[in-house]
Each structure stands twice: as structure tokens, then as C-alpha cells.
Amino acid sequence: MTRPFYRFLLVNLLALAGLAYGQVYYNLIVHIWHADSSHIVALISVGILWCLYLVARRRLEDADWTAEQLVALGLFGTVVGFVVSLSGIDPVKAGEVSEIAPMVSQLLLGMGIALYTTLLGQGGALWIRFCIYLMQD
């Protein structure tokens, strides 16, 4: 095993410890997982793990291409989230006070999808590119 691989391994173990800390003390992972009813976050998560595998196997070009697709998938999730947000708005009922709460609930559900998929897609791609940088000689 080479020195770049040990750097890659150490940095990812530290990141894993940070994620574990965020989950234990702030319920971060479960919160993000449940906020996305479209399950695009799950697909992006699998993509990130696949990229890490590719980087570990030194298939850096494949990992870089897949990281680009994570960004695209995150942006797709943004569009899906906005569609979900706007699907709950009925202009005819918007003037009725009793109908506002369900509309706001749907709006927040869609915004959760939009923001978390974008965050995970962009953040995952940045992390993968950082790992690719670590693995270069």
C-alpha cells in the first residue's frame, strides 16, 4: 500500500467519525434521510460510496465522472423538490385560513427534498474530488 492510500484512508476515517458524531449528538443522518421522501438522497449516498470504492481502487477518472453525475443528481433533486413544493399550492384555496397549513406543510416537504439533495450531491462531489486529489502521487 502506498502513502496516498494511507492519507485517503485516514481522511475518510476522520470523516466517518465526524458523521458518527453528527448522528449521535444531532441525529443528522436520520434527519436528512427522512426529510427526502423522493429517496434521491439514498441514491446519492450510494453514488458517494461507489465513488469512494473507485478512488480506493485507483480508478480516478471513473470516480471523477461519477462525482459529476452526483452533482447532476443533486440538481435533479432540486427540481423534484420544487415540483413537490409547488404541487401543494392551490391558488383557489390560498385565501382560506384553514387551507394554509397543509400548503405550508407541502411547501416545507418539497424544500427539504430540494435543499438536502443539492447539499448531498454538491458536498459528495467535493469530497470525492478531494479524495481523488489525495490519491494522486
Side-chain angles (χ1 to χ4, degrees):
M1 298 206 185
T2 62
R3 187 177 181 107
F5 181 77
Y6 288 123
R7 281 192 311 236
F8 166 78
L9 187 62
L10 177 65
V11 166
N12 279 288
L13 287 174
L14 289 172
L16 185 61
L19 286 173
Y21 177 83
Q23 175 56 35
V24 168
Y25 291 104
Y26 301 106
N27 205 26
L28 184 66
I29 296 170
V30 171
H31 175 73
I32 292 172
W33 199 267
H34 289 296
D36 176 27
S37 60
S38 69
H39 305 294
I40 296 173
V41 163
L43 188 58
I44 293 171
S45 299
V46 169
I48 291 170
L49 293 175
W50 176 248
C51 280
L52 289 173
Y53 170 77
L54 291 174
V55 172
R57 301 287 297 173
R58 295 184 104 11
R59 293 174 53 190
L60 303 182
E61 289 182 16
D62 293 338
D64 189 52
W65 181 86
T66 308
E68 289 178 20
Q69 305 320 305
L70 293 176
V71 173
L73 198 54
L75 293 175
F76 176 73
T78 302
V79 173
V80 169
F82 283 127
V83 168
V84 169
S85 291
L86 297 176
S87 70
I89 297 176
D90 185 359
V92 175
K93 296 180 182 178
E96 299 174 27
V97 175
S98 63
E99 296 295 326
I100 297 295
M103 285 186 228
V104 170
S105 176
Q106 187 70 19
L107 182 70
L108 293 175
L109 175 70
M111 292 308 294
I113 294 170
L115 296 175
Y116 286 131
T117 55
T118 302
L119 176 69
L120 198 58
Q122 295 285 344
L126 285 172
W127 184 255
I128 295 304
R129 291 208 170 105
F130 175 66
C131 290
I132 289 171
Y133 173 76
L134 290 176
M135 287 294 282
Q136 293 173 346
D137 292 326

